[in-house]
Amino acid sequence: MSLQIILGDITEQEADAIVNAANTTLLGGGGVDGAIHRAAGPALLAECRSLGGCETGQAKITKGYRLPAAYVIHTPGPVWRGGGQREGELLASCYKSCLDLAAAHQCKTVAFPSISTGVYRFPLEQGAAIAVDTILAWLAPQDDVHQVTMVCFDEKTKKAYDEALANSFAANKSKPESSAC
Ligand code: APR
């Protein structure tokens, strides 16, 4: 079970499930939300309409339709409002909720975008650290999900995630009984 960081387009990933950085209506939008809906086709929106929205930090699953991925897991990330409104906690909850839902649907491979660090203005370095630490902590005891991929859409985002991953391993090494992840 591992976490890999790549540069790419999440709509092209052949993972069992890809994650959509949605909004609470689940009725589409711009950014990665718009890209996923365009690639999946209108049947995705039709299924999303039946879900009744989703709370920030929670996740709901649909089929992938025309996407290579079998499933899309939709999660509304927090809008950055300065850091005093549980934004970090809610962002961590997005990653955990998506992984729990993926495991419940027997998904062995899951691909994430960088949730909330676009339109929702979550600071990139802080968001990357929360994402990496939450995913690695979730993966450690798990046998269900075998491969998590963070799909970065630009070099700046990939650099932030590469640094977050390096920092996470360095922090683990400094612990007395460090274990490989
Ligand atoms: N593949 C991978 N990542 C992508 C793609 C793509 N095709 N398109 C955009 N991204 C990246 C952005 O560059 C950013 O790093 O996804 C990350 C998240 O950015 P947003 O899509 O703006 O998502 P977010 O910040 O969570 O804001 C969500 O935006 O699109 C609306 O409906 C959505 O209201 C919601 C809000």
Side-chain angles (χ1 to χ4, degrees):
M1 300 150 289
S2 69
L3 169 60
Q4 64 175 353
I5 316 285
I6 67 168
L7 191 64
D9 180 335
I10 200 162
T11 65
E12 297 168 1
Q13 299 307 308
E14 301 198 1
D16 294 336
I18 64 168
V19 172
N20 179 22
N23 59 58
T24 53
T25 70
L26 297 189
L27 299 180
V32 71
D33 196 2
I36 287 173
H37 275 273
R38 279 192 299 278
L44 177 61
L45 181 58
E47 184 174 359
C48 284
R49 285 192 198 286
S50 72
L51 298 178
C54 185
E55 280 181 45
T56 298
Q58 301 301 308
K60 290 191 178 178
I61 195 165
T62 65
K63 292 192 283 294
Y65 299 101
R66 295 178 189 157
L67 287 160
Y71 294 103
V72 180
I73 297 176
H74 308 261
T75 186
V79 176
W80 181 256
R81 301 186 197 283
Q85 300 192 26
R86 300 175 50 235
E87 292 96 324
E89 187 186 318
L90 287 166
L91 184 61
S93 175
C94 285
Y95 287 100
K96 186 180 180 311
S97 302
C98 290
L99 288 167
D100 287 343
L101 203 47
H105 286 75
Q106 292 77 45
C107 297
K108 299 297 177 201
T109 57
V110 184
F112 282 95
S114 175
I115 299 168
S116 279
T117 64
V119 163
Y120 281 2
R121 295 178 297 103
F122 201 108
L124 176 56
E125 285 68 21
Q126 195 178 335
I130 290 169
V132 166
D133 291 347
T134 305
I135 292 167
L136 290 178
W138 190 93
L139 279 175
Q142 291 289 336
D143 288 327
D144 301 328
V145 174
H146 292 170
Q147 175 70 61
V148 177
T149 303
M150 178 56 68
V151 184
C152 302
F153 206 45
D154 54 56
E155 284 291 353
K156 179 170 176 275
T157 301
K158 183 167 185 312
K159 182 171 178 290
Y161 277 85
D162 285 340
E163 285 173 3
L165 190 57
N167 293 340
S168 188
F169 281 129
N172 262 331
K173 279 200 172 51
S174 65
K175 283 186 189 141
E177 64 290 339
S178 67
S179 58
C181 274

